[in-house]
Amino acid sequence: MIQLSQVSKEYPGRGKALDGVSFRLEKGEFAFLTGHSGSGKSTTLGLIHQADTPTSGEVVACGFSSKHTSHREVWKLRRRVSYIFQDFRLLPGRTALENVTFALEVTGTPRRELSSRGNRLLAQVGLAVKSGLQVHELSGGEQQRVSIARALANDPLALLADEPTGNLDERASRGIMELFRDLNARGMTVLMATHDLELVRAYPGIRVLELTEGRLVYDSRAPAVEGA
Amino acid sequence: MHAIREALAAIRRAPLLTALSAAMVALALFVVGLFAVATYNLHEALSRVEERVEVVVYVRDDVMEAELQLLEEDLLEMEEVLGVRYLSKDDALAQAREDLPEFEELFMNLEVNPLPASVEVELRPGFRGPASVARVADRATIYPFVDDVRFGREWVDRLHLLRRMGGIATAVLGTAFGVVAALIIATAIRIALFARREEIYVMRLVGATHGFIRRPFLLEGALTGLLGGILAAVLTYVSHLAVSRLIFPLEWIPLEWMVAGIAAGGLFGLVASAFAIRRYLREV
């Protein structure tokens, strides 16, 4: 499903952000990607989503290789692998529903189906009753749910989440985690970057990949992180 | 449909930006329009002058009719020649009297007619340039009974030079101001792209194709350019009317020129937008 083989990423003047990272996520797997700020978590997710290309090595996600997918073909990958940000990246001045239908529309959903499909996606993340509210009227947790609903617009096979609970309180974070677990239970592969070890410890059954200074230093189950 | 809807929505969202862009494009194309009017009028004026370009072949007094006929037939076979007209010595004197009435007394006192007979050669349109005129003159000169061939070489050369300079000036300035118009549209589209960077980012994030993202902006650029072209055509027409009524009469450019100018505005807009979006999509 997602495979990194000896992936390195170097930025001119900033040194190596990633250094020979290799791991594989199977279809339907859930994994945390942990590490301190600057350890390379966002770079890893960005390379999987092909927002950038590795300096060396190869990233393959849902059959799309970083070596063979051109800039113009990235959209095909992004309809199979969705991405969620810490800061939600919702469009201001639009309602929750409009944010979701925007994603549906730009990926080719017929206009007559936009509203019903958008509402269905919002219902899936527990926001059916707030679909008409402007995004600034929603709490942080609710905004993140809207961004998840948007990420589900293309019915993706995998979800990449970059510190999705970073701006949320504990209760909202738990709610988002439960949503991810639910999606994962339905067969979606989830890779979630977080520096919140408390959250990681709360889900001991989930695989953990730990990065330190761009190197993968740990690949194990959550309890082992305590000893890392 | 989405592209049209989005392009119109973008214009509605930022009418001032669209209006300013169209106005700037219009000003750049207006200059091109003024040059087009000037060039067209120069072209027309030169064409009218050129219509009077002819070759006059002076023949000796003792030329025989058969020889003259040979010359005329030979000249008429040339593709440059539209027609020939023989002017006898008497005809030449009569015409001189008519053209120069102030010398009537002098003409009355002449004992012998000093004016030579001639063959006036009328040239076809498109064959009144220096090379064509010289070819006809050279052909006539080979006949031994031809005394002289006149066609005002310097005058024809200058006319030709003037026409070429007019054409070059219009081409250079037209291109320069066309580029200015394209740069203005590209800048306006960059501003529009920047204003909608979040939307574009989300589009890219969720998997919109390049074409889908590009189309509304291409359309917006083309519409801005077309609007600028139409404004420029109106401005040029008003200026042409003002000059015609207040200073000297000018002819209005042919419809095809105007349509081509407006279409060029749209094309500049399209191409400029394409470049701006291409660069932007590589950056986000």
Side-chain angles (χ1 to χ4, degrees):
Chain A
M1 170 61 62
I2 295 172
Q3 181 160 351
L4 278 77
S5 309
Q6 288 299 312
V7 172
S8 294
K9 180 65 188 177
E10 197 167 345
Y11 295 104
R14 278 165 46 197
K16 278 190 172 175
L18 281 186
D19 188 3
V21 172
S22 299
F23 66 81
R24 180 184 172 86
L25 277 187
E26 300 300 337
K27 185 175 186 297
E29 199 173 355
F30 194 141
F32 285 121
L33 186 61
T34 65
H36 296 294
S37 291
S39 61
K41 301 189 296 292
S42 297
T43 304
T44 304
L45 296 186
L47 290 178
I48 295 170
H49 209 229
Q50 296 204 6
D52 210 342
T53 49
T55 310
S56 63
E58 183 181 17
V59 181
V60 181
C62 293
F64 291 91
S65 163
S66 58
K67 287 187 173 171
H68 307 118
T69 309
S70 74
H71 189 65
R72 299 179 67 84
E73 288 177 321
V74 169
W75 64 271
K76 292 177 188 167
L77 162 78
R78 292 184 179 175
R79 291 190 185 187
R80 289 167 178 78
V81 181
S82 284
Y83 203 104
I84 291 164
F85 294 92
Q86 179 177 355
D87 59 359
F88 325 129
R89 294 284 177 99
L90 297 175
L91 296 174
R94 300 195 191 209
T95 65
L97 180 63
E98 285 167 347
N99 265 278
V100 179
T101 55
F102 179 78
L104 288 166
E105 189 179 15
V106 301
T107 50
T109 304
R111 273 178 79 74
R112 61 182 181 282
E113 293 177 23
L114 289 178
S115 186
S116 60
R117 283 193 62 187
N119 277 314
R120 223 169 25 242
L121 287 166
L122 283 172
Q124 199 178 336
V125 298
L127 274 184
V129 292
K130 298 198 172 179
S131 66
L133 293 183
Q134 295 280 321
V135 289
H136 70 264
E137 295 174 301
L138 301 172
S139 69
E142 288 167 339
Q143 289 190 40
Q144 192 58 288
R145 283 170 185 271
V146 175
S147 85
I148 294 169
R150 182 181 67 188
L152 299 178
N154 293 317
D155 207 7
L157 300 171
L159 192 65
L160 305 174
D162 191 359
E163 302 275 6
T165 58
N167 285 349
L168 307 181
D169 60 31
E170 194 186 336
R171 188 159 164 267
S173 298
R174 297 265 173 186
I176 296 297
M177 271 308 295
E178 288 312 313
L179 197 52
F180 284 162
R181 297 261 288 176
D182 183 41
L183 292 170
N184 177 241
R186 293 185 208 177
M188 190 180 290
T189 307
V190 179
L191 179 59
M192 175 175 158
T194 181
H195 66 272
D196 184 356
L197 294 183
E198 287 296 315
L199 186 78
V200 173
R201 284 192 194 100
Y203 294 91
I206 295 176
R207 181 182 174 187
V208 176
L209 302 160
E210 187 182 342
L211 290 169
T212 300
E213 293 180 350
R215 301 180 72 89
L216 186 66
V217 295
Y218 209 83
D219 179 356
S220 182
R221 298 273 164 183
V225 172
E226 290 177 42
Chain B
M1 274 308 288
H2 173 269
I4 297 170
R5 220 173 31 245
E6 278 300 308
L8 294 176
I11 291 171
R12 273 200 305 275
R13 268 197 298 268
L16 189 65
L17 180 65
T18 307
L20 280 174
S21 305
M24 286 190 285
V25 171
L27 285 177
L29 291 178
F30 172 52
V31 177
V32 180
L34 289 181
F35 261 91
V37 172
T39 304
Y40 182 70
N41 279 275
L42 179 68
H43 178 85
E44 288 298 293
L46 290 178
S47 293
R48 279 193 293 275
V49 175
E50 262 186 5
E51 278 171 20
R52 283 151 52 190
V53 171
E54 62 175 13
V55 178
V56 181
V57 182
Y58 294 101
V59 293
R60 285 191 197 155
D61 290 352
D62 57 356
V63 66
M64 293 166 67
E65 191 155 343
E67 290 174 322
L68 266 178
Q69 199 174 346
L70 188 68
L71 170 69
E72 286 177 1
E73 282 172 3
D74 192 17
L75 291 175
L76 279 169
E77 275 177 16
M78 296 183 77
E79 62 173 343
E80 293 90 346
V81 176
L82 182 66
V84 293
R85 186 168 75 102
Y86 175 68
L87 218 64
S88 68
K89 286 172 70 71
D90 292 342
D91 293 338
L93 188 60
Q95 191 171 326
R97 279 179 161 166
E98 198 180 308
D99 292 346
L100 306 164
E102 59 273 32
F103 296 112
E104 180 59 28
E105 201 175 329
L106 182 71
F107 292 133
M108 290 288 283
N109 296 329
L110 285 173
E111 288 179 6
V112 286
N113 181 355
L115 299 176
S118 63
V119 176
E120 289 178 356
V121 184
E122 191 183 351
L123 300 167
R124 281 184 200 282
F127 291 100
R128 289 162 181 161
S132 302
V133 175
R135 240 189 333 270
V136 174
D138 288 347
R139 178 72 69 90
T141 314
I142 60 174
Y143 289 91
F145 54 86
V146 169
D147 237 358
D148 195 8
V149 180
R150 294 278 172 92
F151 58 88
R153 181 185 296 272
E154 278 189 13
W155 188 65
V156 171
D157 285 348
R158 277 183 197 160
L159 208 60
H160 186 66
L161 184 68
L162 206 58
R163 188 190 278 280
R164 282 190 61 192
M165 279 171 61
I168 291 168
T170 304
V172 170
L173 285 162
T175 308
F177 280 98
V179 169
V180 169
L183 288 176
I184 290 165
I185 294 173
T187 307
I189 292 292
R190 288 284 292 182
I191 294 169
L193 285 166
F194 186 75
R196 295 178 61 198
R197 64 193 179 284
E198 281 296 321
E199 274 180 47
I200 294 169
Y201 187 84
V202 172
M203 284 191 210
R204 298 263 295 140
L205 184 74
V206 300
T209 61
H210 273 204
F212 187 90
I213 300 170
R214 253 200 327 252
R215 277 193 291 272
F217 291 102
L218 290 178
L219 207 59
E220 192 182 334
L223 284 176
T224 307
L226 276 178
L227 197 62
I230 292 168
L231 271 173
V234 172
L235 280 174
T236 311
Y237 186 70
V238 170
S239 306
H240 149 266
L241 273 187
V243 173
S244 290
R245 288 190 183 162
L246 303 174
I247 307 171
F248 52 80
L250 279 176
E251 285 187 47
W252 180 236
I253 54 174
L255 183 67
E256 311 89 75
W257 287 33
M258 202 173 72
V259 172
I262 294 171
L267 190 68
F268 287 151
L270 194 72
V271 173
S273 304
F275 274 107
I277 299 160
R278 193 182 152 85
R279 276 192 56 191
Y280 193 80
L281 285 181
R282 283 184 184 282
E283 290 165 14
V284 294

